[in-house]
Amino acid sequence: MGVKDNGKIGVTKSFYQEMFLTYHKPLCVFVMKMVSPEEAEDIVDNVFMAMWEKQLRFNDSNHLKAFLFRAVYNQAITLVNHKKYVNRTMREMPREEWDEDNYLRNRIETEVYMEVVQAVEQLPERCREVFKLSYMDGLKVSEVARKLSISEDTVKTQRLKARKQLQEILKDLYPLCWFIFMLGR
């Protein structure tokens, strides 16, 4: 067995090797009832590695055996629960949000949105306020007018002015920006 310290079995290199040879295969078989063979081997290897790194001490060989089986069982349950969570999340999430094929589209939309935000910041203060409240916050003309204490006609004029200035600032990107922006609303 291992070295005894205060009546507890410590993990020496030779004891560790002996326990690895004795329990590795039975632990893998035990945990393969819950996970794949590759995952089972990874789990068992990780438990032995943690036991070695932490230099754990055990009351006796039964305590060690109980620890090993409980540790691999707990790791397997954690893995199974994680896989269930990931599968449920993937089913609930619209495919386009996790599909790697849409990486480029999402990246372009993000870049274009950043360009729009930078362009909006270049607008005169009143145009910027009206534009943000109308298009980014989704307020109605009457709500923007009430919030800014201006007339609805002024809101409409400022919105038109903002769109024209953005069209000039964004030039070639304007149709694409507007399309993407309106889709996001």
Side-chain angles (χ1 to χ4, degrees):
M1 289 220 120
V3 177
K4 291 225 176 195
D5 180 22
N6 293 334
K8 294 191 177 194
I9 300 171
V11 181
T12 63
K13 187 174 183 178
S14 62
F15 179 70
Y16 177 81
Q17 289 172 334
E18 180 185 335
M19 291 303 103
F20 187 86
L21 291 173
T22 302
Y23 290 111
H24 190 272
K25 187 101 170 145
L27 289 168
C28 285
V29 171
F30 170 70
V31 82
M32 273 193 275
K33 294 174 183 158
M34 296 182 277
V35 297
S36 72
E38 295 81 18
E39 293 167 331
E41 192 160 332
D42 287 344
I43 288 169
V44 173
D45 290 346
N46 289 340
V47 167
F48 273 105
M49 190 65 107
M51 186 175 81
W52 175 254
E53 289 173 352
K54 294 179 182 178
Q55 292 293 303
L56 299 177
R57 301 207 178 285
F58 304 93
N59 295 330
D60 55 32
S61 59
N62 288 333
H63 183 227
L64 168 64
K65 185 177 176 181
F67 165 80
L68 289 172
F69 277 90
R70 175 53 68 183
V72 297
Y73 174 80
N74 288 343
Q75 291 291 316
I77 292 297
T78 300
L79 179 62
V80 168
N81 287 338
H82 176 73
K83 288 165 68 175
K84 284 180 184 176
Y85 171 78
V86 168
N87 288 337
R88 186 176 63 244
T89 302
M90 295 302 251
R91 278 193 312 272
E92 292 171 358
M93 189 183 304
R95 179 162 172 77
E96 67 267 2
E97 288 186 29
W98 55 268
D99 189 350
E100 287 185 34
D101 294 336
N102 288 314
Y103 168 79
L104 184 59
R105 183 179 59 86
N106 291 334
R107 178 75 189 268
I108 290 169
E109 285 178 4
T110 302
E111 294 291 331
V112 169
Y113 183 76
M114 289 171 52
E115 289 289 327
V116 170
V117 168
Q118 288 175 354
V120 168
E121 292 304 316
Q122 294 176 33
L123 294 173
E125 185 177 349
R126 183 57 80 178
C127 279
R128 183 174 56 242
E129 282 180 302
V130 169
F131 185 87
K132 284 181 175 181
L133 291 171
S134 294
Y135 297 109
M136 295 178 147
D137 294 345
L139 298 181
K140 296 177 183 171
V141 171
S142 59
E143 295 170 321
V144 174
R146 194 170 32 259
K147 184 167 182 129
L148 297 178
S149 301
I150 57 177
S151 72
E152 289 184 22
D153 287 337
T154 302
V155 170
K156 291 175 186 175
T157 302
Q158 292 296 320
R159 283 171 38 142
L160 181 61
K161 189 175 177 183
R163 286 196 311 265
K164 285 184 178 184
Q165 287 182 13
L166 286 173
Q167 188 172 7
E168 181 58 34
I169 294 168
L170 297 169
K171 293 183 179 113
D172 296 333
L173 283 180
Y174 183 77
L176 179 61
C177 291
W178 197 250
F179 178 73
I180 290 172
F181 185 73
M182 294 309 278
L183 281 179
R185 290 186 70 209

